[in-house]
Amino acid sequence: MPATDGPSGHLGNLSTSGVRFPVKLATVPVKDVGLNAAIKAQTDPSFEVKPRIFEEFALAGRVAIVTGGNRGLGLEFAIVLAELGAKVYIIDLPETPSSDFTAAAAYVKRLGSSFEYRVSDVSKQELISKTIDEIAQENDGKIHVCVAAAGILGIEADCTDYPADMFKKVMDINCNGVFFTAQAVAKQMKQHNIAGSIIFIASMSGSVTNRVCIVARSLPQEMLRNRQ
Ligand SMILES: NC(=O)c1ccc[n+]([C@@H]2O[C@H](COP(=O)([O-])OP(=O)(O)OC[C@H]3O[C@@H](n4cnc5c(N)ncnc54)[C@H](O)[C@@H]3O)[C@@H](O)[C@H]2O)c1
């Protein structure tokens, strides 16, 4: 829970890495969850003891966006958001969504939620901004959740030989595309005063080398066969 210096929640200037800027944190109301619930239950016999975690994460009436949700992790995230009750917009490249997407869309419909598919490219700032603006307009400006899951692996190559054009493409999607997505969503959230969540999907491959691929590729074929 963020600390505040009083009921107004105003913290004044904070210093982070020598940079000073005005920060305002909203006062967070104390909820009857976790230890607070346990303590209340101890002293208040009328307090109903029941699991509250599902209510905490409920997204009924909320609008969520998932980039790269036509398949893979993005599609799994989209299903979770729909299970929690959100109306989920999936943004991806193909004109026609995948068969996995179609199956998921039918499934979440039966759960009482919905999937909407939009074609766009996160690496194109104007285009992704336009797509997200349109989604906001369809929902009275309200976007509550965004999961930026669109990403590519690029080619498998030794980093010392990695081609410049491929590296630029990876950065365009995985780095710039995530920024453009967050920027467009944040603009809408700010404009409509929504304290939503923007979630970035990273990979351990961003900080460590997946050495096993390189080792395996450099092993003689016979040794590789023995490893299977
Ligand atoms: N799969 C894993 O085990 C794993 C683990 C950790 C992190 N990640 C990360 O999660 C992200 C997604 O991984 P995945 O395995 O689901 O990948 P995936 O290839 O299965 O799915 C990625 C999706 O992003 C879409 N996409 C690519 N470029 C796009 C663009 N310019 N605009 C819009 N959509 C675009 C693709 O069409 C695809 O549907 C990646 O950033 C990846 O590094 C994956």
Side-chain angles (χ1 to χ4, degrees), residues 68 70-74 92-93 120-123 149-152 173 201-203:
N70 188 40
R71 68 177 194 205
L73 291 188
D92 211 310
L93 293 173
S120 196
D121 184 338
V122 297
S123 67
I152 59 167
I173 296 168
I201 305 306
S203 170

Side-chain angles (χ1 to χ4, degrees), residues 135-142 192:
I135 293 172
Q137 274 168 27
E138 281 175 31
N139 295 283
D140 301 325
K142 295 191 182 76
H192 297 279

